Amino acid sequence: MSDISLIGMMSIFTAGLSIGLGAIGPAIGEGLALANAMRALAQQPDKANTITRTLFVGMALIESTAIYCFVVSMILIFANPFWNYVLDRSGG
Amino acid sequence: MSDISLIGMMSIFTAGLSIGLGAIGPAIGEGLALANAMRALAQQPDKANTITRTLFVGMALIESTAIYCFVVSMILIFANPFWNYVLDRSGG
Amino acid sequence: MSDISLIGMMSIFTAGLSIGLGAIGPAIGEGLALANAMRALAQQPDKANTITRTLFVGMALIESTAIYCFVVSMILIFANPFWNYVLDRSGG
Amino acid sequence: MSDISLIGMMSIFTAGLSIGLGAIGPAIGEGLALANAMRALAQQPDKANTITRTLFVGMALIESTAIYCFVVSMILIFANPFWNYVLDRSGG
Amino acid sequence: MSDISLIGMMSIFTAGLSIGLGAIGPAIGEGLALANAMRALAQQPDKANTITRTLFVGMALIESTAIYCFVVSMILIFANPFWNYVLDRSGG
Amino acid sequence: MSDISLIGMMSIFTAGLSIGLGAIGPAIGEGLALANAMRALAQQPDKANTITRTLFVGMALIESTAIYCFVVSMILIFANPFWNYVLDRSGG
Amino acid sequence: MSDISLIGMMSIFTAGLSIGLGAIGPAIGEGLALANAMRALAQQPDKANTITRTLFVGMALIESTAIYCFVVSMILIFANPFWNYVLDRSGG
Amino acid sequence: MSDISLIGMMSIFTAGLSIGLGAIGPAIGEGLALANAMRALAQQPDKANTITRTLFVGMALIESTAIYCFVVSMILIFANPFWNYVLDRSGG
Amino acid sequence: MSDISLIGMMSIFTAGLSIGLGAIGPAIGEGLALANAMRALAQQPDKANTITRTLFVGMALIESTAIYCFVVSMILIFANPFWNYVLDRSGG
Amino acid sequence: MSDISLIGMMSIFTAGLSIGLGAIGPAIGEGLALANAMRALAQQPDKANTITRTLFVGMALIESTAIYCFVVSMILIFANPFWNYVLDRSGG
Amino acid sequence: MSDISLIGMMSIFTAGLSIGLGAIGPAIGEGLALANAMRALAQQPDKANTITRTLFVGMALIESTAIYCFVVSMILIFANPFWNYVLDRSGG
Amino acid sequence: MSDISLIGMMSIFTAGLSIGLGAIGPAIGEGLALANAMRALAQQPDKANTITRTLFVGMALIESTAIYCFVVSMILIFANPFWNYVLDRSGG
Amino acid sequence: MSDISLIGMMSIFTAGLSIGLGAIGPAIGEGLALANAMRALAQQPDKANTITRTLFVGMALIESTAIYCFVVSMILIFANPFWNYVLDRSGG
Amino acid sequence: MSDISLIGMMSIFTAGLSIGLGAIGPAIGEGLALANAMRALAQQPDKANTITRTLFVGMALIESTAIYCFVVSMILIFANPFWNYVLDRSGG
């Protein structure tokens, strides 16, 4: 097990784990919010504008936590400083 | 256990784990939203248009977290930089 | 433990795990949606058309997350690039 | 531990795990839907036709996720490409 | 640990695990459905026929997921292709 | 660790695990159904016959999943083909 | 670790695990049923006979799943075919 | 690690595990039943006799699952056939 | 690792585990019962006698499952037949 | 790893685990009871005496399960027969 | 790994685990009680005295289970008989 | 396994785990808040301003716990003092 | 692995685990209490003083369990008697 | 594995775990509180001031448990006494 394969394996595994775990919370949170927005629309169809606007701004805020995970995942795959270092060292 | 088999095994396992875990949250979240949309339709059938439009835009947003996972999964299988490196190195 | 058996074992295990995990979320999510559609039909039997159409479009969207898992599972069994590489290398 | 026994063991284990896990979600989802169909029938016995038809179409859709798992399980037992390869190689 | 005992042990364990796991979901799903059928009967005793028929058809559909598990379990005990192969090979 | 003790140990463990796990679901499912039957009886005592009959037919269906587990457990203890094979082979 | 101690240890452990796990489900299921019987009695004290009879027949059915576990547990301690075989073989 | 210490250790551990696990279900089940009996008494104080009698008979039935576990636990400590055998064999 | 330290360690660990696990269920069960007794007292303060008597008899029954665990725990610490045997054998 | 350090380590670990696990159940159970006592007081402030007396007697009973754990924990730290034996034997 | 480091490590780990686990239950239990006290105050603001007094006495009782854990934790860090013994023995 | 690869692997894994775990809580918490804001808007559409302002300030506070995790994650990837030290030491 | 690194590693890990686990309970407990205080304020805005005072005294009591964990964590990092002993011994 | 890499790895891992775990509780607790504040605002929009003030003071108190975790995490990364000691000793 060379350094390269160890760093590589761990980067691959962490990239998948981080987005895999990180998709659970936001999806359930957004589902909860959307579900109640449906009820709100049924109760006050005249205020669809206000409700929809607040809903999408809020969902964007929740989505941001999923995006943090995606960003970490992409950094680990395409811009990983640890990987770059071991490649440099091995004269890659 | 050569480097190639280690990187390969980890890529395979992570690809499956990431989409496997990542399908749980969005599916439950979308189910929750759709369930309440059903109730809203039953309460305000005249506003079916507004309700359905908001529903599908919201579900697309939730679906996006599942798609992040699918993207990571596909990258790991078909465009994996770690795999490409070890192939290059072994003169593949 | 040759490379071939390691890559093979991991592909088999991941194919099963990914569809096994990935069937839990969509099935529960669709069950939730269908359950509320039943209630909506009982409340507004005259709007069965609108309700049923929205239901099946939504369930198709939820089903898509199960299909992502199935696709990954099939790729790993029948079109696995890692397996193909190790077969090629071993002169298969 | 020869390659044959490793690939064989993993195929057996995964076949059972995949259908074992994959039966939990659909069964609970269908139970939920059926439970609410019972309530809907009690509320609107005159619309039994519409309710029952939507119910069984929906349950078939949920059942499909269990069937994906069953298919993977059967492929692993009776049409496993990895097993076939190692048999061929060992001149079986 | 010969190949025979490894394949044998794994088949035994998987047979039990698959039916053990696979009995949880259907039993709870059917229990849920039956529980609500009780309520429906109490509410609309005159429609006992329609309710009971839909109930038993639905429960049969749920039972099918338990039966998939039982089938896999029986195949692994009595018609296991991996076991048959290793027996043949050892000249059994 | 001879083959005999390995196959024996695994059979013992799986027999217990399979019935141990398999008793959880049916017991809770039947408890749920019985609990609601109690409520139904309190609401419609005049229809005790219809309710009780549907209840016991349904509970028998749920019990069947526990019986699948018990059958697998008994097969593994008293009619285990893997155990019989290793006994035969060792000239038992 | 002789065969005798391995088979013995596994039998002891499985006997305890199987009844330990198997007591959880039935006890909770019966508790649920009894709890609702209490409510039913408070609602319809005049029908105590019908309610109590259905309750105890149902609880006996639930208890049966606990008894399956107890039977497996007793077989493993006092009539264990695997243990008897290894005793015979060691000339016990 | 002699046979005696292995069989002894496993008996001790299983005795504790079996009663430890087996106390969870019955205690919660009885608590549920008692809790609803309290409500029933508050609703129908005149029928305290009927309610209390059914309650204690039911709780005795639930307690029986805890007693199965206690019996297995006591057998393993004081009348353990496996322990007796290894003692006899070692000429104890 | 002599036999004495192995038997000793396992006895200590099991004594703590058994009472630690066994305290969870009864405490929650009794809390549930007491909580509903509070509500019953608030509803029918004139029947405080009947309610309190049934409550404490029931709680004693629940407490008994915790006491089973405590008894096993005390036996393992102060009257452990396995420990006594190994002490005797080592001429203690 | 001498006998002394093994027995010592296990006693320390078990002392902490037993009180750590054993504090969860009673605290939640007492919290549940106290929570409902608050509601009862708000509903029947004139009966504060009866309610409070029953509450504290009940909570003492629940507390007793936490005290069992604490007693086992203290015995293991300050009056541990296994530790005393190994000290005596090593001529301490 | 000398005896001193083993006993030391285990004491450190157990001290943290015991208070870490032991803080979960009491905090949730007290939160539950406080939450309902809020409601009670809103319902009967004139009885704030009685409610608050009962609340704080009850919360002190719940807090006591957290304090048991803290006491065990402090004994393990500052007055640990096992640690003192190994220090004495090593002539510390 | 050189120091560099160990420190590197652990940094990669922790960066992913910390943001992966840390995204679950905030996303669900914000979803809960947003869901109730929807209901509040439907109830008091005239106060949309006050509700929306409080909502977004509160969500920012919740988001801050996700940001702590993201900060730790970024520090571990791009400004890791442990990594810098081992690089310096190896004359990097 | 010298004594120093073992004691050091365990202290670091336990410090983080103890505060990490210990923050879950109090935060949820306080959130529950605060959530109900919001409702109480909406119901009885005139008694804001009494409600707020009781709330903050209660929350301080809950916070105390988090502080126990923080104290143990700080002791382990900055005033650790085990660490001090091993430093002294190594002539530090 | 030198002392430096062991202490370093454990510090990195604990820093991430402690903030990762510690973000779950506070975020959910604050979400719960904010959710109920939304309802309170919808019920009593005229008291927005009192409600908002109590809300933010309470949320700050909950946030404090997340901050304890963040503080421990930062100490472990930037002011770690164990790391400083091993650096000093290695003449760093």
Side-chain angles (χ1 to χ4, degrees), chain L residues 8-47:
Chain L
M9 276 169 66
M10 202 45 104
S11 302
I12 292 169
F13 178 69
T14 307
L17 182 80
S18 135
I19 187 65
L21 272 181
I24 295 174
I28 292 178
E30 291 177 24
L32 231 70
L34 188 53
N36 282 282
M38 290 296 111
R39 288 198 189 178
L41 279 177
Q43 237 177 309
Q44 289 275 5
D46 308 337
K47 300 284 173 183

Side-chain angles (χ1 to χ4, degrees), chain A residues 10 13-14 17, chain K residues 13, chain L residues 6-19 21 72 76 80 82, chain M residues 9 12-17, chain N residues 5-21 69 72-73 76-77 80:
Chain A
M10 202 44 105
F13 178 69
T14 307
L17 182 81
Chain K
F13 178 68
Chain L
L6 283 170
I7 294 279
M9 276 169 66
M10 202 45 104
S11 302
I12 292 169
F13 178 69
T14 307
L17 182 80
S18 135
I19 187 65
L21 272 181
V72 169
L76 289 181
N80 189 328
F82 304 101
Chain M
M9 276 168 67
I12 292 169
F13 178 68
T14 308
L17 182 79
Chain N
S5 69
L6 282 170
I7 294 279
M9 276 168 67
M10 202 44 104
S11 302
I12 293 169
F13 178 68
T14 307
L17 182 80
S18 135
I19 187 64
L21 273 181
C69 293
V72 168
S73 197
L76 290 181
I77 297 182
N80 189 328

Side-chain angles (χ1 to χ4, degrees), chain C residues 19-62:
Chain C
I19 187 64
L21 273 181
I24 295 175
I28 292 179
E30 292 178 24
L32 230 71
L34 188 53
N36 281 282
M38 290 295 112
R39 288 197 188 178
L41 279 177
Q43 237 178 309
Q44 289 276 3
D46 308 337
K47 299 284 173 185
N49 262 4
T50 319
I51 291 174
T52 317
R53 207 180 41 229
T54 311
L55 176 71
F56 288 121
V57 174
M59 281 176 82
L61 205 53
I62 301 178

Side-chain angles (χ1 to χ4, degrees), chain N residues 37-62:
Chain N
M38 289 297 111
R39 288 198 189 177
L41 280 177
Q43 237 177 309
Q44 288 276 4
D46 308 337
K47 300 285 173 182
N49 261 4
T50 319
I51 291 175
T52 316
R53 207 178 43 225
T54 311
L55 175 70
F56 287 121
V57 174
M59 282 177 81
L61 204 55
I62 301 178

Side-chain angles (χ1 to χ4, degrees), chain G residues 2 12 32 35 39 42 63 87, chain H residues 3 14 32 36 39 44 64:
Chain G
S2 63
I12 293 170
L32 231 70
R39 288 197 188 179
E63 188 79 11
L87 286 198
Chain H
D3 281 12
T14 308
L32 231 70
N36 281 282
R39 287 197 189 180
Q44 287 277 3
S64 75

Side-chain angles (χ1 to χ4, degrees), chain B residues 47-79:
Chain B
K47 300 284 174 185
N49 262 4
T50 320
I51 291 175
T52 317
R53 206 179 43 228
T54 311
L55 175 71
F56 288 121
V57 174
M59 281 177 82
L61 205 54
I62 300 178
E63 189 78 12
S64 76
T65 64
I67 288 173
Y68 294 161
C69 293
F70 192 57
V71 163
V72 169
S73 198
M74 285 297 107
I75 287 174
L76 289 181
I77 297 181
F78 293 117

Side-chain angles (χ1 to χ4, degrees), chain I:
Chain I
M1 287 203 225
S2 62
D3 281 12
I4 281 179
S5 69
L6 282 170
I7 294 279
M9 276 169 66
M10 202 45 103
S11 303
I12 292 170
F13 178 68
T14 308
L17 183 79
S18 134
I19 186 65
L21 271 181
I24 295 174
I28 292 178
E30 293 178 25
L32 231 70
L34 189 53
N36 282 281
M38 290 295 112
R39 287 197 189 179
L41 279 178
Q43 237 177 309
Q44 288 276 2
D46 308 336
K47 299 287 173 183
N49 262 4
T50 318
I51 291 175
T52 317
R53 207 181 40 230
T54 311
L55 175 71
F56 288 121
V57 174
M59 282 177 82
L61 205 53
I62 301 178
E63 189 78 12
S64 75
T65 64
I67 288 173
Y68 294 161
C69 292
F70 193 57
V71 163
V72 168
S73 195
M74 286 297 107
I75 287 173
L76 289 181
I77 298 182
F78 294 117
N80 189 328
F82 304 101
W83 174 253
N84 292 340
Y85 174 79
V86 290
L87 286 198
D88 280 5
R89 202 179 52 174
S90 75

